[in-house]
């Protein structure tokens, strides 16, 4: 199945480079380009892409606010946003996850890894670049106490699975760890998404940390 991608970046050369890279594959096609966040929101409404490759710093509307608007659109419920960031933009990671971004990649990511990241997000998984993940965890560590999140409605098994999701395990790895089928694991993850009002696994990770279910090692 071919994933449809919208590229949002204020630099034409960057957009063109991403288009060429993504369209060298047989399962990805670029359906549009946006030069700013406002254009990205408008194009999502009309093109309904599977993935938006979203820059952060753009004129008129930045990538964070554009992501918030896109993820709030009922018509874009199936559209995933993959944020492009650089080391000096890591302060935006938490904010973008909260508004519904499905993952982050760094702009210096090798081409093959960028293509793989788009595929992962298109498949409904969450993806964070390792260096970004480490900084995100350090941000949680810097907070003395987690902000409580409502986990009362989830079962003991769902809580166990949420913990493993927060630790970065895939559905297959969780199934192996708990000695259950992958289908069963997917069902539990789907129920967690519904009960916690989370858009995807990235937001499940946020919920796990904010509830205090997971605390990173200091």
């Amino acid at each position: 199945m071919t994933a449809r991608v919208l590229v949002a970046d204020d630099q034409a050369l960057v957009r063109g480079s991403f288009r060429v890279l993504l369209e060298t594959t047989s399962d990805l096609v670029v359906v549009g380009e946006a030069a700013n966040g406002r254009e990205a929101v408008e194009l999502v409404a009309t093109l309904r892409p599977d993935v938006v490759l979203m820059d952060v710093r753009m004129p008129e509307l930045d990538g964070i606010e554009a992501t918030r608007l896109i993820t709030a659109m009922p018509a874009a419920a199936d559209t995933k946003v993959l944020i492009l960031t650089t080391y000096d933009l890591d302060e935006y990671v938490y904010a973008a996850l909260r508004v519904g971004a499905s993952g982050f990649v760094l702009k210096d990511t090798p081409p093959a890894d960028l293509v793989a990241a788009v595929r992962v997000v298109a498949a409904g998984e969450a993806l964070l670049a390792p260096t970004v993940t480490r900084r995100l965890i350090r941000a949680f560590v810097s907070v003395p106490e987690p902000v409580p999140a409502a986990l009362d409605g989830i079962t003991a098994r769902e809580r166990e699975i949420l913990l493993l999701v927060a630790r970065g395990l895939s559905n297959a790895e969780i199934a192996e760890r708990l000695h259950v089928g992958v289908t069963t694991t997917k069902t539990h993850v789907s129920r967690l998404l519904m009960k916690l009002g989370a858009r995807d696994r990235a937001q499940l990770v946020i919920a796990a940390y904010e509830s205090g279910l997971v605390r990173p090692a200091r």
Side-chain angles (χ1 to χ4, degrees):
M1 182 176 177
T2 301
R4 304 168 72 253
V5 184
L6 172 68
V7 178
D9 195 290
D10 60 331
Q11 299 182 44
L13 181 59
V14 173
R15 295 197 306 274
S17 298
F18 285 143
R19 175 184 283 274
V20 171
L21 171 64
L22 296 174
E23 292 193 336
T24 58
T25 68
S26 60
D27 59 336
L28 300 174
V29 59
V30 176
V31 295
E33 298 179 17
N36 57 63
R38 194 168 304 284
E39 284 186 11
V41 174
E42 293 171 353
L43 288 175
V44 166
T46 57
L47 298 175
R48 310 286 178 82
D50 299 302
V51 178
V52 180
L53 193 56
M54 181 81 76
D55 189 22
V56 174
R57 288 183 176 173
M58 292 186 291
E60 294 193 35
L61 194 69
D62 65 43
I64 305 301
E65 181 62 15
T67 298
R68 186 187 68 78
L69 293 175
I70 289 169
T71 58
M73 293 167 53
D78 295 327
T79 297
K80 306 297 183 182
V81 179
L82 180 60
I83 297 287
L84 282 163
T85 186
T86 53
Y87 290 110
D88 62 327
L89 293 178
D90 283 342
E91 67 269 21
Y92 296 117
V93 171
Y94 184 73
L97 286 176
R98 290 302 306 272
V99 298
S102 294
F104 284 81
V105 289
L106 300 176
K107 280 197 170 180
D108 61 357
T109 296
D113 291 348
L114 177 61
V115 170
V118 172
R119 287 176 176 145
V120 166
V121 171
E125 297 288 345
L127 183 143
L128 298 175
T131 51
V132 175
T133 302
R134 286 196 292 271
R135 292 187 181 212
L136 180 62
I137 290 174
R138 282 202 295 271
F140 278 111
V141 171
S142 67
V143 179
E145 294 295 335
V147 178
L151 296 184
D152 294 341
I154 70 174
T155 66
R157 175 60 93 181
E158 289 167 348
R159 188 178 292 261
E160 188 175 13
I161 288 176
L162 178 59
L163 176 62
L164 296 176
V165 168
R167 288 177 176 169
L169 275 67
S170 67
N171 286 341
E173 291 169 333
I174 293 172
E176 182 178 0
R177 176 77 64 89
L178 300 180
H179 306 291
V180 298
V182 175
T183 301
T184 299
T185 300
K186 289 181 178 179
T187 298
H188 283 303
V189 171
S190 295
R191 288 175 179 167
L192 281 167
L193 292 170
M194 180 183 65
K195 289 181 177 181
L196 298 179
R199 182 179 174 86
D200 55 26
R201 295 170 78 98
Q203 291 192 319
L204 289 182
V205 173
I206 292 291
Y209 276 99
E210 287 189 333
S211 68
L213 181 64
V214 178
R215 290 297 291 169
R218 295 181 180 272

